[in-house]
Amino acid sequence: MTEAMDSADTLKQGRSLMQAGKFQEAASLLGEVLAREPGHQDALYMAAASARYLNDTDSAFAYLDRLKRAAPDFGRAFQEEGHLRRKTGDVDGALGAFQRATRYNPALVASWTAQAEILSASGRAEAAAHARAQADRLKTLPPELLAVTNYIHEGRIIHAERIARAFMQKHPRHVEGMRLLADIGSRLGVHEDADFLLETAVELEPENPQLRIDRIQVLRKRQKYEAALAEAGTLLERDPDNPVFKSLYAIEAMQAGSYDEALEIFDEVLADMPDDLATLTSRGHALKTAGQTDEAITSYRRAVAVTPLHGDAWYALANLKTYTFSADEIAAMQAALQDPNLHFMGRVHIAFARGKALEDAGEYGASFEAYSQGNALKKTQVRYTTEQMEAEVEGQTTHCTKDLFENRAGVGHDDPAPIFIVGLPRAGSTLIEQILASHSQVDGTLELPNILSLAHRLRGRQQISDRDRYPRILHELPDEELKALGEDYIANTAIHRQGAPFFTDKMPNNFRHIGLIQLILPNAKIIDARREPMACCFSGFKQLFAEGQEFSYSLEDIGHYYRLYVKLMDHWDAVLPGKVLRVQHEDVVDDLEGEVRRILDHCALPFEQACLDFHKTDRAVRTASSEQVRQPINRSGLEQWRKFEPYLDDLKEIVSDL
């Protein structure tokens, strides 16, 4: 703590010296901080600026190289690089740096202004006008909202929220304030509140395209795909030739299941902009989901050919699980990781992709190191703690008692349609879903967020001071409200169904809310997809999840999470005997027909041969196992973790007795 305070005081002194033009003295002070903390973001930034003013170009570039590696998405680092390159006469390099600066932090007025000047001088009037308009817009913002924008894009979300809320209390109908507060809410996972703010903002300023773009992102996170598609359609109707709106509409069409329409529009965009990375990657995702793997690979490979720093496409190739990287591609990923211009999520994506590539190449030590690097980076972004999960499980076991379910027997909505598949990710749930979705009476849907959203609402807003309001509130809710909640679930998930009498919901985290499910949908079926702990936990550690599953970025966290999952499932077995069917993944592999019949019997479904031939079922699959469930069952994945056994002692110690 003392060292941190010393650094803060020294930096404050350094800023004062720089403002007074005493750059040499500032550089000396900053050197003291960097001797103690070589990766200190602010010290590196100030040292680079001081070196530029002292005309020490080599030192300035060296500080910036260190800064971009320590803080890959720090927009001010690229702004400082722009100033430095402009000073040395590298105008093209300066323009690229200023453009990256505003990509990472759109609140940097100086970078927008510099872009406008450079673009104007080179005769690119339209692009210059756009950059100047961005600078002018920022200058008209209230200072509080400019600060909020800056804090958001420098990762200081709590500071941003505090200022934004204070501003909105004084200006409750300020549209940009609403938009920024919604952005903060979305980053904190409060998607319903973010959606409400953006919906209100759109009503106030229906012609503002950024509001609709932001709302589309939030609606997608809420899996409100039809509503997102409608918003995208509104944008496209107003400007049918806008490539951003076309690509956005195609993405939402893909999410809503209209793959042919999405691919047609992606191809239109690529005809005009063949190197557009976002479109190439999104097109690959659509092709993969629709089962057109070879075409997806071509699209992803085109994206990494355009720029090897495009981590999203590298990881998409790895996430196919069936793609084998060449030695040249592995070398290209390694080179990308050494590039100081690689942004944060690019580093994460490529680390995970490289882990998969090296695993397939049999280099297990290097592979584990790459997976560990990706997980360590990702863990810096998450807020999960084992202690929070322990408190949650304690709340469920304390309040969801046998007496509760006996006293509330017969309440809820009686629709038997839902089949919940719960457990940990990478435990075989996609295989169970594919088996069930191959049955003529079952629609396979998605990992639906509805139960998690309901639990979040029931927790209320006092989640710190009243941590166990949910599930305690389950004792207090009237019978008619429980029934209404069940009816709402059926109504809100109808959009994902195709008309079969039953449907799957394979959100794995629903195991934490089986008590809630029982009270609102007492006739729903529940299946616990379980896998041997070492295989399950390590498979989760190797997977970069699109959203959620924050426990999975540390072997220690995932091991303790598995233990808590087993503890809670044992509790549900005790208070709701016979409610949950446990399906062990290894048993499905060893005796497919026997386990398929067990699953169908539990769901009161007649046997159908198509369930054994699940790999022939033609349907969109969006999870990481999409390619695996399109192949006949095999044992290849059961013991993969043993190749990494020398590195898994800590995990083994946590789960060994399970």
Side-chain angles (χ1 to χ4, degrees):
M1 175 66 78
T2 304
E3 189 174 284
M5 289 176 63
D6 288 346
S7 294
D9 291 340
T10 306
L11 288 175
K12 189 176 179 181
Q13 242 184 306
R15 283 193 191 92
S16 298
L17 289 167
M18 290 178 71
Q19 288 166 357
K22 299 179 180 180
F23 298 108
Q24 191 62 64
E25 293 176 48
S28 298
L29 274 179
L30 295 165
E32 294 175 15
V33 176
L34 291 171
R36 295 193 299 267
E37 301 176 67
H40 194 293
Q41 175 178 300
D42 291 342
L44 286 168
Y45 170 67
M46 293 165 63
S50 295
R52 172 167 61 88
Y53 282 109
L54 291 168
N55 296 316
D56 185 357
T57 303
D58 290 344
S59 294
F61 275 121
Y63 284 128
L64 286 172
D65 186 277
R66 289 168 59 186
L67 175 56
K68 289 189 291 184
R69 294 178 193 280
D73 292 356
F74 186 42
R76 292 180 189 275
F78 293 95
Q79 178 169 273
E80 179 58 32
E81 182 187 358
H83 291 319
L84 183 61
R85 291 194 180 280
R86 204 175 182 189
K87 182 175 183 177
T88 60
D90 180 6
V91 178
D92 289 342
L95 178 61
F98 286 129
Q99 288 171 334
R100 282 190 290 274
T102 53
R103 189 182 312 143
Y104 297 134
N105 185 349
L108 297 176
V109 177
S111 286
W112 286 116
T113 302
Q115 285 178 61
E117 292 168 354
I118 294 170
L119 289 164
S120 182
S122 63
R124 287 174 274 182
E126 187 176 343
H130 170 73
R132 192 170 290 109
Q134 292 295 328
D136 291 344
R137 185 187 71 82
L138 290 169
K139 290 173 186 175
T140 65
L141 277 183
E144 300 96 322
L145 296 188
L146 188 61
V148 168
T149 306
N150 185 61
Y151 281 141
I152 287 172
H153 293 282
E154 291 190 353
R156 301 169 70 180
I157 302 299
I158 304 306
H159 287 288
E161 183 182 24
R162 178 173 49 79
I163 297 170
R165 287 195 180 281
F167 179 85
M168 290 305 296
Q169 284 176 351
K170 297 176 186 173
H171 312 279
R173 291 173 66 83
H174 196 287
V175 167
E176 182 64 7
M178 289 181 186
R179 190 187 74 80
L180 290 171
L181 192 56
D183 186 2
I184 293 165
S186 181
R187 290 168 188 262
L188 293 173
V190 191
H191 301 310
E192 288 184 49
D193 290 357
D195 188 12
F196 175 76
L197 281 166
L198 289 168
E199 185 178 21
T200 305
V202 168
E203 289 173 0
L204 293 171
E205 281 189 19
E207 301 302 314
N208 184 331
Q210 191 59 53
L211 297 175
R212 293 186 190 274
I213 291 170
D214 285 11
R215 186 164 187 238
I216 287 166
Q217 315 296 340
V218 171
L219 287 167
R220 189 189 307 155
K221 289 179 179 178
R222 296 188 66 199
Q223 294 190 2
K224 303 281 187 181
Y225 298 127
E226 293 294 332
L229 183 61
E231 289 283 17
T234 299
L235 290 173
L236 192 59
E237 283 172 16
R238 292 178 181 174
D239 190 355
D241 296 324
N242 186 310
V244 174
F245 295 168
K246 288 172 80 169
S247 191
L248 194 57
Y249 182 85
I251 290 170
E252 300 319 313
M254 172 182 72
Q255 297 289 350
S258 300
Y259 297 101
D260 291 341
E261 182 184 19
L263 289 167
E264 185 178 330
I265 298 173
F266 284 139
D267 288 342
E268 285 179 18
V269 175
L270 291 171
D272 294 329
M273 303 190 313
D275 292 345
D276 187 68
L277 294 173
T279 304
L280 285 166
T281 310
S282 295
R283 180 176 179 271
H285 295 338
L287 289 163
K288 171 201 170 186
T289 305
Q292 300 176 49
T293 307
D294 291 343
E295 293 91 336
I297 289 170
T298 299
S299 204
Y300 293 142
R301 291 185 69 182
R302 174 61 190 154
V304 298
V306 172
T307 170
L309 301 188
H310 190 52
D312 196 1
W314 283 120
Y315 183 69
L317 286 167
N319 205 32
L320 289 169
K321 311 299 183 191
T322 55
Y323 182 76
T324 301
F325 290 96
S326 68
D328 286 345
E329 287 173 324
I330 294 173
M333 284 190 278
Q334 179 59 31
L337 286 170
Q338 301 306 313
D339 193 316
N341 292 320
L342 181 62
H343 63 91
F344 181 85
M345 276 311 298
R347 292 186 186 281
V348 175
H349 280 125
I350 293 177
F352 275 94
R354 186 168 169 269
K356 178 67 167 65
L358 292 168
E359 178 182 1
D360 291 344
E363 299 181 34
Y364 301 117
S367 171
F368 182 77
E369 186 179 333
Y371 284 133
S372 297
Q373 178 189 12
N375 277 286
L377 286 168
K378 183 64 178 173
K379 189 168 168 57
T380 64
Q381 291 189 320
V382 305
R383 293 172 293 155
Y384 172 85
T385 67
T386 294
E387 290 73 25
Q388 290 171 336
M389 183 61 184
E390 287 173 338
E392 182 178 327
V393 170
E394 181 68 24
Q396 293 287 336
T397 56
T398 299
H399 296 290
C400 293
T401 60
K402 200 162 192 173
D403 286 346
L404 169 66
F405 299 116
E406 288 175 353
N407 293 337
R408 310 303 293 270
V411 304
H413 181 42
D414 61 1
D415 194 327
I419 303 171
F420 291 94
I421 305 169
V422 304
L424 263 68
R426 311 299 297 148
S429 59
T430 304
L431 175 58
I432 295 172
E433 179 197 45
Q434 184 77 350
I435 288 167
L436 283 166
S438 301
H439 197 283
S440 62
Q441 296 185 44
V442 181
D443 286 328
T445 64
L446 302 165
E447 295 181 356
L448 302 176
N450 302 69
I451 294 295
L452 302 186
S453 296
L454 173 56
H456 181 77
R457 287 206 309 275
L458 292 175
R459 286 190 182 99
R461 295 189 175 274
Q462 306 301 319
Q463 294 186 28
I464 302 300
S465 58
D466 190 8
R467 285 188 179 276
D468 67 347
R469 179 178 187 271
Y470 167 78
R472 188 185 69 241
I473 195 173
L474 296 178
H475 290 266
E476 305 160 12
L477 291 175
D479 290 359
E480 58 270 19
E481 187 166 348
L482 291 171
K483 181 180 181 182
L485 291 173
E487 290 170 342
D488 284 349
Y489 173 87
I490 296 297
N492 292 333
T493 55
I495 189 173
H496 302 290
R497 299 173 64 178
Q498 304 297 318
F502 301 96
F503 69 99
T504 60
D505 176 346
K506 70 174 263 343
M507 173 60 75
N509 304 24
N510 283 339
F511 81 86
R512 292 149 67 167
H513 308 290
I514 287 175
L516 172 62
I517 292 170
Q518 173 64 17
L519 291 175
I520 68 171
L521 292 161
N523 295 326
K525 303 296 190 294
I526 302 176
I527 298 171
D528 172 21
R530 189 168 296 193
R531 187 177 178 188
E532 188 276 326
M534 289 297 291
C536 184
C537 292
F538 186 60
S539 185
F541 183 74
K542 294 193 301 177
Q543 182 68 40
L544 174 61
F545 294 96
E547 185 126 17
Q549 317 308 355
E550 293 187 342
F551 61 87
S552 68
Y553 298 110
S554 135
L555 287 172
E556 183 178 346
D557 283 349
I558 199 170
H560 287 300
Y561 187 91
Y562 191 101
R563 292 193 69 87
L564 289 165
Y565 148 71
V566 170
K567 177 181 178 180
L568 188 53
M569 292 309 301
D570 287 348
H571 172 75
W572 299 131
D573 287 344
V575 298
L576 292 167
K579 178 69 182 180
V580 179
L581 176 72
R582 184 147 303 112
V583 178
Q584 194 73 32
H585 179 65
E586 293 77 10
D587 293 344
V588 179
V589 174
D590 287 338
D591 179 16
L592 177 62
E593 182 170 347
E595 290 301 303
V596 166
R597 289 184 181 277
R598 267 185 83 227
I599 292 167
L600 296 178
D601 285 348
H602 179 72
C603 298
L605 292 167
F607 177 79
E608 290 183 1
Q609 180 63 31
C611 296
L612 290 182
D613 299 330
F614 61 87
H615 55 283
K616 298 177 183 177
T617 300
D618 183 17
R619 59 180 287 264
V621 183
R622 303 193 190 198
T623 65
S625 303
S626 60
E627 297 312 299
Q628 291 158 306
V629 298
R630 292 186 173 117
Q631 302 170 7
I633 205 159
N634 63 78
R635 300 183 56 84
S636 62
L638 295 185
E639 299 292 313
Q640 283 181 344
W641 70 272
R642 291 198 180 277
K643 298 168 183 174
F644 295 87
E645 192 166 4
Y647 316 104
L648 302 179
D649 287 347
D650 291 345
L651 174 61
K652 193 183 294 185
E653 185 175 340
I654 293 169
V655 301
S656 59
D657 61 326
L658 300 177

Short mmCIF file of all heavy atoms in Angstrom, two decimals, residues 45-81:
data_model
loop_
_atom_site.label_atom_id
_atom_site.label_comp_id
_atom_site.label_asym_id
_atom_site.label_seq_id
_atom_site.Cartn_x
_atom_site.Cartn_y
_atom_site.Cartn_z
N TYR A 45 3.38 5.95 -19.83
CA TYR A 45 2.78 6.95 -20.72
C TYR A 45 3.46 8.31 -20.53
O TYR A 45 3.85 8.97 -21.51
CB TYR A 45 1.28 7.04 -20.42
CG TYR A 45 0.59 8.19 -21.10
CD1 TYR A 45 0.46 8.24 -22.48
CD2 TYR A 45 0.07 9.25 -20.35
CE1 TYR A 45 -0.18 9.30 -23.11
CE2 TYR A 45 -0.57 10.31 -20.96
CZ TYR A 45 -0.69 10.33 -22.34
OH TYR A 45 -1.32 11.39 -22.94
N MET A 46 3.62 8.73 -19.29
CA MET A 46 4.24 10.03 -19.02
C MET A 46 5.71 10.04 -19.41
O MET A 46 6.23 11.05 -19.91
CB MET A 46 4.05 10.39 -17.55
CG MET A 46 2.60 10.65 -17.17
SD MET A 46 2.31 10.63 -15.38
CE MET A 46 3.32 12.03 -14.86
N ALA A 47 6.39 8.91 -19.21
CA ALA A 47 7.80 8.83 -19.59
C ALA A 47 7.95 8.95 -21.11
O ALA A 47 8.88 9.62 -21.61
CB ALA A 47 8.40 7.51 -19.10
N ALA A 48 7.04 8.33 -21.86
CA ALA A 48 7.08 8.43 -23.32
C ALA A 48 6.86 9.87 -23.77
O ALA A 48 7.57 10.38 -24.65
CB ALA A 48 6.03 7.51 -23.94
N ALA A 49 5.88 10.54 -23.16
CA ALA A 49 5.61 11.94 -23.52
C ALA A 49 6.79 12.84 -23.17
O ALA A 49 7.18 13.71 -23.96
CB ALA A 49 4.34 12.41 -22.82
N SER A 50 7.39 12.62 -22.00
CA SER A 50 8.55 13.42 -21.60
C SER A 50 9.70 13.22 -22.59
O SER A 50 10.37 14.19 -22.99
CB SER A 50 9.00 13.05 -20.19
OG SER A 50 8.00 13.39 -19.24
N ALA A 51 9.93 11.97 -22.97
CA ALA A 51 11.02 11.68 -23.91
C ALA A 51 10.76 12.37 -25.26
O ALA A 51 11.70 12.86 -25.91
CB ALA A 51 11.16 10.18 -24.10
N ARG A 52 9.49 12.41 -25.67
CA ARG A 52 9.18 13.10 -26.94
C ARG A 52 9.52 14.58 -26.85
O ARG A 52 10.14 15.14 -27.76
CB ARG A 52 7.69 12.91 -27.29
CG ARG A 52 7.23 13.76 -28.48
CD ARG A 52 5.87 13.32 -29.00
NE ARG A 52 4.81 13.44 -28.01
CZ ARG A 52 4.07 14.55 -27.81
NH1 ARG A 52 4.31 15.63 -28.54
NH2 ARG A 52 3.11 14.55 -26.91
N TYR A 53 9.13 15.21 -25.75
CA TYR A 53 9.43 16.63 -25.59
C TYR A 53 10.93 16.89 -25.49
O TYR A 53 11.41 17.96 -25.85
CB TYR A 53 8.71 17.19 -24.37
CG TYR A 53 7.25 17.48 -24.60
CD1 TYR A 53 6.26 16.69 -24.02
CD2 TYR A 53 6.85 18.53 -25.43
CE1 TYR A 53 4.91 16.95 -24.25
CE2 TYR A 53 5.50 18.79 -25.66
CZ TYR A 53 4.54 18.00 -25.08
OH TYR A 53 3.21 18.26 -25.30
N LEU A 54 11.67 15.91 -24.98
CA LEU A 54 13.13 16.04 -24.86
C LEU A 54 13.84 15.64 -26.15
O LEU A 54 15.07 15.58 -26.19
CB LEU A 54 13.63 15.17 -23.70
CG LEU A 54 13.23 15.64 -22.30
CD1 LEU A 54 13.52 14.55 -21.26
CD2 LEU A 54 13.96 16.94 -21.93
N ASN A 55 13.04 15.32 -27.21
CA ASN A 55 13.59 14.88 -28.51
C ASN A 55 14.39 13.59 -28.40
O ASN A 55 15.28 13.32 -29.22
CB ASN A 55 14.45 15.98 -29.15
CG ASN A 55 13.63 17.21 -29.49
OD1 ASN A 55 12.54 17.09 -30.03
ND2 ASN A 55 14.14 18.39 -29.15
N ASP A 56 14.10 12.80 -27.37
CA ASP A 56 14.75 11.49 -27.21
C ASP A 56 13.83 10.44 -27.85
O ASP A 56 13.12 9.70 -27.16
CB ASP A 56 14.97 11.21 -25.73
CG ASP A 56 15.76 9.92 -25.49
OD1 ASP A 56 16.08 9.22 -26.47
OD2 ASP A 56 16.03 9.62 -24.31
N THR A 57 13.85 10.40 -29.18
CA THR A 57 12.90 9.58 -29.93
C THR A 57 13.03 8.09 -29.62
O THR A 57 12.03 7.40 -29.44
CB THR A 57 13.11 9.81 -31.44
OG1 THR A 57 12.96 11.21 -31.71
CG2 THR A 57 12.10 9.03 -32.26
N ASP A 58 14.26 7.59 -29.53
CA ASP A 58 14.45 6.16 -29.28
C ASP A 58 13.84 5.75 -27.94
O ASP A 58 13.16 4.72 -27.85
CB ASP A 58 15.94 5.81 -29.31
CG ASP A 58 16.52 5.90 -30.72
OD1 ASP A 58 15.73 5.93 -31.68
OD2 ASP A 58 17.76 5.96 -30.84
N SER A 59 14.08 6.56 -26.91
CA SER A 59 13.52 6.23 -25.59
C SER A 59 12.00 6.31 -25.62
O SER A 59 11.31 5.48 -25.02
CB SER A 59 14.06 7.19 -24.52
OG SER A 59 15.44 7.00 -24.34
N ALA A 60 11.47 7.31 -26.34
CA ALA A 60 10.01 7.45 -26.42
C ALA A 60 9.38 6.22 -27.06
O ALA A 60 8.39 5.68 -26.54
CB ALA A 60 9.66 8.71 -27.22
N PHE A 61 9.96 5.75 -28.17
CA PHE A 61 9.43 4.55 -28.81
C PHE A 61 9.57 3.32 -27.91
O PHE A 61 8.69 2.46 -27.86
CB PHE A 61 10.12 4.30 -30.15
CG PHE A 61 9.52 5.06 -31.30
CD1 PHE A 61 10.29 5.95 -32.03
CD2 PHE A 61 8.19 4.90 -31.64
CE1 PHE A 61 9.74 6.68 -33.09
CE2 PHE A 61 7.62 5.61 -32.70
CZ PHE A 61 8.40 6.51 -33.42
N ALA A 62 10.67 3.24 -27.18
CA ALA A 62 10.88 2.10 -26.28
C ALA A 62 9.84 2.08 -25.16
O ALA A 62 9.28 1.03 -24.83
CB ALA A 62 12.29 2.15 -25.70
N TYR A 63 9.56 3.25 -24.59
CA TYR A 63 8.53 3.33 -23.55
C TYR A 63 7.15 2.94 -24.12
O TYR A 63 6.37 2.24 -23.47
CB TYR A 63 8.45 4.75 -22.96
CG TYR A 63 9.56 5.08 -22.00
CD1 TYR A 63 10.32 6.25 -22.15
CD2 TYR A 63 9.84 4.26 -20.90
CE1 TYR A 63 11.33 6.57 -21.26
CE2 TYR A 63 10.85 4.58 -20.00
CZ TYR A 63 11.60 5.74 -20.19
OH TYR A 63 12.60 6.06 -19.30
N LEU A 64 6.86 3.41 -25.33
CA LEU A 64 5.57 3.10 -25.94
C LEU A 64 5.44 1.61 -26.23
O LEU A 64 4.36 1.03 -26.07
CB LEU A 64 5.38 3.91 -27.22
CG LEU A 64 5.07 5.39 -27.02
CD1 LEU A 64 5.09 6.14 -28.35
CD2 LEU A 64 3.71 5.57 -26.34
N ASP A 65 6.53 0.99 -26.65
CA ASP A 65 6.49 -0.45 -26.90
C ASP A 65 6.14 -1.20 -25.61
O ASP A 65 5.28 -2.09 -25.60
CB ASP A 65 7.84 -0.91 -27.45
CG ASP A 65 7.83 -2.37 -27.86
OD1 ASP A 65 8.00 -3.24 -26.98
OD2 ASP A 65 7.63 -2.65 -29.06
N ARG A 66 6.78 -0.81 -24.52
CA ARG A 66 6.49 -1.43 -23.22
C ARG A 66 5.05 -1.15 -22.79
O ARG A 66 4.35 -2.02 -22.26
CB ARG A 66 7.47 -0.92 -22.16
CG ARG A 66 8.89 -1.42 -22.33
CD ARG A 66 9.87 -0.66 -21.45
NE ARG A 66 9.54 -0.75 -20.03
CZ ARG A 66 10.19 -0.06 -19.08
NH1 ARG A 66 11.19 0.75 -19.42
NH2 ARG A 66 9.84 -0.19 -17.81
N LEU A 67 4.61 0.10 -23.02
CA LEU A 67 3.27 0.50 -22.60
C LEU A 67 2.19 -0.29 -23.35
O LEU A 67 1.23 -0.78 -22.74
CB LEU A 67 3.08 2.00 -22.84
CG LEU A 67 1.69 2.59 -22.56
CD1 LEU A 67 1.24 2.30 -21.14
CD2 LEU A 67 1.70 4.09 -22.82
N LYS A 68 2.37 -0.45 -24.66
CA LYS A 68 1.35 -1.16 -25.44
C LYS A 68 1.29 -2.64 -25.08
O LYS A 68 0.24 -3.26 -25.17
CB LYS A 68 1.62 -0.97 -26.93
CG LYS A 68 1.33 0.46 -27.41
CD LYS A 68 1.37 0.60 -28.92
CE LYS A 68 2.76 0.45 -29.49
NZ LYS A 68 2.78 0.68 -30.95
N ARG A 69 2.41 -3.20 -24.66
CA ARG A 69 2.39 -4.60 -24.21
C ARG A 69 1.74 -4.72 -22.83
O ARG A 69 1.03 -5.69 -22.54
CB ARG A 69 3.81 -5.17 -24.17
CG ARG A 69 4.45 -5.28 -25.55
CD ARG A 69 5.88 -5.80 -25.45
NE ARG A 69 6.58 -5.62 -26.71
CZ ARG A 69 6.46 -6.41 -27.77
NH1 ARG A 69 5.64 -7.45 -27.73
NH2 ARG A 69 7.13 -6.16 -28.88
N ALA A 70 1.99 -3.73 -21.96
CA ALA A 70 1.44 -3.78 -20.61
C ALA A 70 -0.05 -3.45 -20.60
O ALA A 70 -0.81 -3.99 -19.79
CB ALA A 70 2.18 -2.79 -19.71
N ALA A 71 -0.48 -2.55 -21.51
CA ALA A 71 -1.89 -2.11 -21.55
C ALA A 71 -2.33 -2.06 -23.01
O ALA A 71 -2.37 -0.99 -23.61
CB ALA A 71 -2.02 -0.75 -20.89
N PRO A 72 -2.66 -3.21 -23.60
CA PRO A 72 -2.88 -3.30 -25.05
C PRO A 72 -3.99 -2.40 -25.59
O PRO A 72 -3.95 -2.02 -26.75
CB PRO A 72 -3.22 -4.78 -25.28
CG PRO A 72 -2.67 -5.49 -24.10
CD PRO A 72 -2.77 -4.55 -22.96
N ASP A 73 -5.00 -2.08 -24.79
CA ASP A 73 -6.14 -1.30 -25.29
C ASP A 73 -6.12 0.14 -24.78
O ASP A 73 -7.15 0.82 -24.80
CB ASP A 73 -7.46 -1.96 -24.89
CG ASP A 73 -7.68 -3.28 -25.60
OD1 ASP A 73 -6.86 -3.63 -26.46
OD2 ASP A 73 -8.67 -3.97 -25.29
N PHE A 74 -4.98 0.61 -24.33
CA PHE A 74 -4.87 1.96 -23.76
C PHE A 74 -4.78 2.96 -24.91
O PHE A 74 -3.72 3.14 -25.52
CB PHE A 74 -3.66 2.03 -22.85
CG PHE A 74 -3.52 3.32 -22.09
CD1 PHE A 74 -4.62 3.93 -21.50
CD2 PHE A 74 -2.28 3.91 -21.94
CE1 PHE A 74 -4.48 5.12 -20.79
CE2 PHE A 74 -2.12 5.09 -21.23
CZ PHE A 74 -3.23 5.70 -20.65
N GLY A 75 -5.89 3.63 -25.20
CA GLY A 75 -5.94 4.53 -26.35
C GLY A 75 -4.91 5.63 -26.31
O GLY A 75 -4.35 6.01 -27.35
N ARG A 76 -4.61 6.14 -25.12
CA ARG A 76 -3.64 7.25 -25.03
C ARG A 76 -2.24 6.83 -25.47
O ARG A 76 -1.44 7.66 -25.91
CB ARG A 76 -3.62 7.80 -23.61
CG ARG A 76 -4.90 8.50 -23.22
CD ARG A 76 -4.85 9.05 -21.80
NE ARG A 76 -6.16 9.52 -21.41
CZ ARG A 76 -6.64 10.72 -21.69
NH1 ARG A 76 -5.91 11.56 -22.38
NH2 ARG A 76 -7.84 11.08 -21.29
N ALA A 77 -1.94 5.55 -25.34
CA ALA A 77 -0.62 5.08 -25.80
C ALA A 77 -0.51 5.27 -27.31
O ALA A 77 0.53 5.73 -27.82
CB ALA A 77 -0.43 3.61 -25.44
N PHE A 78 -1.57 4.95 -28.03
CA PHE A 78 -1.54 5.10 -29.49
C PHE A 78 -1.62 6.57 -29.89
O PHE A 78 -1.04 6.98 -30.89
CB PHE A 78 -2.68 4.28 -30.10
CG PHE A 78 -2.49 2.80 -29.93
CD1 PHE A 78 -3.08 2.13 -28.87
CD2 PHE A 78 -1.69 2.09 -30.80
CE1 PHE A 78 -2.88 0.77 -28.69
CE2 PHE A 78 -1.48 0.73 -30.64
CZ PHE A 78 -2.08 0.06 -29.58
N GLN A 79 -2.32 7.37 -29.08
CA GLN A 79 -2.34 8.81 -29.35
C GLN A 79 -0.93 9.38 -29.21
O GLN A 79 -0.48 10.17 -30.05
CB GLN A 79 -3.30 9.52 -28.38
CG GLN A 79 -3.33 11.03 -28.56
CD GLN A 79 -4.46 11.67 -27.79
OE1 GLN A 79 -5.57 11.77 -28.28
NE2 GLN A 79 -4.19 12.11 -26.57
N GLU A 80 -0.23 8.99 -28.16
CA GLU A 80 1.15 9.46 -27.97
C GLU A 80 2.04 8.97 -29.10
O GLU A 80 2.90 9.71 -29.60
CB GLU A 80 1.68 8.99 -26.61
CG GLU A 80 3.11 9.41 -26.31
CD GLU A 80 3.32 10.92 -26.36
OE1 GLU A 80 2.38 11.68 -26.04
OE2 GLU A 80 4.43 11.34 -26.75
N GLU A 81 1.83 7.73 -29.56
CA GLU A 81 2.59 7.23 -30.70
C GLU A 81 2.31 8.08 -31.94
O GLU A 81 3.22 8.37 -32.73
CB GLU A 81 2.24 5.77 -30.97
CG GLU A 81 3.04 5.18 -32.13
CD GLU A 81 2.60 3.78 -32.53
OE1 GLU A 81 1.69 3.23 -31.88
OE2 GLU A 81 3.17 3.25 -33.50
#
